[in-house]
Amino acid sequence: MICPHCNSSVADDATTCPSCGGALPTIDVVPEFIFCEGCGARLSGEDRSCPKCGRPAPGILSQSSASSDLAAGRTASFPRITSEMLDDLVPEPASGSLAGSDALETDEQNTSVLDGGELSGAQPTQSSEGSSRGAARKPMPAPAEPADGRDPYAKPRRGKWIAAGVALVLMGGGAWFVTADPLGVMPGLLASFDKAASEMYPSRQKPEGSADASSADDAEAKKDKGEQKADHDDLSDKTLSEAEAFQRLSAIYGRIVAFQDEIGSVVETYNGQYLAKDRAQREEASKSAYMLRDSVQAAIDELKGLSLSKDTAYAQDVEHLIQLATWMYNRVDVLCRSWDISLALPEGERPLDHQDEILRPLREVEMVNGRAIDVVEYEENVGAWKPVEK
């Protein structure tokens, strides 16, 4: 054993070094195997040499020692195998050509890599009775190109033309069957369709014996409009009871209050688009103002057309609602008059160059403490003038 402190040789059973007095390591576990330094194969504790490459086990001092001596500390340096030593140990390959041999013989201990010369010289033979399994295959002959230059691998298109022809024949036969009606079934089918349509949409049927379909449709449309107008006149001419009057006035009041929310969006659109260069863009933006003005005017006309009893308790409520709607109408109308000026500009004129002219209707609005008088009056009275059932 070698002392790890002073590298002096000591007895195997010694616990301290006699030279330096240092404690010697004790070996409790002996490994079962080690690895060969030549090929890396795993060796057991009893192997004296590598079973694969024949090299002595690491640390073996003689043939009588075992690899377990390495774990016990009884080791010695062993020279590494150099390339010159391998050249002396590996025999030279036998000379001679491999040509004509029936099979390529390889040595398990030698390398399995063949050089180009050996591969080119190794040509399998062919017996007189037939070709062997190792014989070289003959190359397949290239397909001969047709004389007309067509692709020999192209799929025939005759089936596509046949399918197209069959489809045309079927469509033509169906059209002829419907037009000629050889079985006489079309009148019955048309009659059944007319009957089903008349039962489903009776108001859209044409008068019998009428030659002009458009005239019949116009007459039907006029009839519908006349009936609607008559119903509206009957509703307007009818004297409302007190309960009916309250319901109608409450509904109209709700519409007037809703106009307040719509006018905010109309004002925002006006501020952002009244100076737009594109006239079509200005026309589209102005539609909301004109539509709101028409809605407010319709509410005023409905209030003025109500038929109430002479001694009704809601006469003052009608006047209040008409005034609220009028204030709302004025607020929208001033925007519409400004839109009229903007849209009346000649094509190619910039609205920015006519800004003062476009804003003139807004400057003419009567103001109270910096606010339009219509806005002030509406906000002061809209809550107090809500109809109350009497």
Side-chain angles (χ1 to χ4, degrees):
M1 174 184 307
I2 303 301
C3 176
H5 305 286
C6 62
N7 295 331
S8 60
S9 178
V10 296
D12 294 341
D13 54 353
T15 58
T16 59
C17 178
S19 300
C20 63
L24 297 178
T26 59
I27 300 175
D28 297 332
V29 179
V30 178
E32 297 181 357
F33 55 84
I34 56 177
F35 295 92
C36 177
E37 294 182 351
C39 63
R42 189 174 66 180
L43 306 178
S44 63
E46 291 76 14
D47 291 335
R48 296 183 178 86
S49 62
C50 178
K52 290 188 177 181
C53 65
R55 180 173 179 174
I60 299 302
L61 300 178
S62 64
Q63 295 294 332
S64 61
S65 61
S67 60
S68 58
D69 298 336
L70 175 64
R74 295 186 290 274
T75 61
S77 61
F78 194 86
R80 290 185 175 272
I81 297 178
T82 63
S83 60
E84 291 76 6
M85 299 172 64
L86 292 175
D87 293 339
D88 296 338
L89 295 176
V90 177
E92 295 290 337
S95 61
S97 174
L98 295 177
S101 61
D102 294 337
L104 295 176
E105 298 181 359
T106 58
D107 188 359
E108 295 181 355
Q109 301 298 329
N110 296 335
T111 176
S112 60
V113 179
L114 302 179
D115 57 9
E118 294 174 347
L119 291 176
S120 62
Q123 299 292 337
T125 59
Q126 183 175 0
S127 63
S128 59
E129 296 179 358
S131 60
S132 63
R133 295 179 59 185
R137 297 182 180 180
K138 296 182 180 180
M140 297 181 63
E145 297 184 359
D148 54 0
R150 293 178 301 173
D151 187 3
Y153 300 100
K155 295 182 180 180
R157 299 183 179 180
R158 183 179 302 173
K160 296 182 178 180
W161 291 108
I162 294 175
V166 172
L168 291 176
V169 171
L170 291 177
M171 289 189 294
W176 173 83
F177 183 84
V178 174
T179 305
D181 191 17
L183 301 179
V185 298
M186 296 305 297
L189 291 176
L190 295 177
S192 62
F193 290 153
D194 292 340
K195 182 179 179 181
S198 62
E199 292 176 355
M200 186 173 295
Y201 305 105
S203 62
R204 298 185 180 182
Q205 299 304 308
K206 303 175 183 178
E208 296 183 0
S210 176
D212 191 354
S214 61
S215 300
D217 294 339
D218 295 341
E220 189 68 23
K222 291 180 180 178
K223 181 180 178 181
D224 294 340
K225 290 182 179 179
E227 292 177 355
Q228 294 177 2
K229 186 176 183 302
D231 295 340
H232 181 71
D233 294 341
D234 293 342
L235 186 61
S236 301
D237 296 341
K238 178 184 177 181
T239 301
L240 301 177
S241 63
E242 295 296 281
E244 293 174 343
F246 172 72
Q247 294 178 357
R248 293 285 298 277
L249 294 176
S250 298
I252 297 175
Y253 175 83
R255 287 160 53 190
I256 295 175
V257 173
F259 294 153
Q260 177 67 23
D261 299 332
E262 296 183 26
I263 197 172
S265 176
V266 171
V267 172
E268 291 181 0
T269 304
Y270 172 85
N271 293 333
Q273 301 293 334
Y274 80 99
L275 292 179
K277 295 181 180 179
D278 188 5
R279 188 177 187 278
Q281 183 177 353
R282 298 199 306 274
E283 289 180 352
E284 184 66 24
S286 65
K287 290 181 180 180
S288 60
Y290 291 118
M291 292 176 61
L292 180 58
R293 185 176 64 176
D294 293 341
S295 299
V296 177
Q297 183 63 51
I300 295 175
D301 295 340
E302 185 176 354
L303 287 169
K304 292 181 178 180
L306 291 178
S307 178
L308 304 178
S309 59
K310 295 181 179 179
D311 55 349
T312 180
Y314 296 101
Q316 189 176 14
D317 292 320
V318 174
E319 296 179 359
H320 288 168
L321 295 184
I322 292 176
Q323 184 60 62
L324 290 175
T326 301
W327 287 329
M328 183 63 64
Y329 180 89
N330 293 337
R331 296 171 58 184
V332 183
D333 181 64
V334 67
L335 298 176
C336 293
R337 287 188 285 118
S338 180
W339 275 120
D340 293 340
I341 299 174
S342 177
L343 297 176
L345 295 177
E347 191 68 26
E349 292 286 340
R350 295 175 50 191
L352 185 60
D353 299 336
H354 303 272
Q355 185 175 7
D356 293 340
E357 182 181 356
I358 295 173
L359 297 177
R360 178 173 49 82
L362 280 75
R363 291 196 301 268
E364 294 176 353
V365 173
E366 184 179 356
M367 308 294 289
V368 176
N369 296 329
R371 303 180 66 193
I373 188 173
D374 296 310
V375 177
V376 175
E377 294 291 345
Y378 175 87
E379 293 178 352
E380 289 180 355
N381 297 282
V382 64
W385 287 356
K386 181 179 180 180
V388 179
E389 189 173 8
K390 300 178 177 59

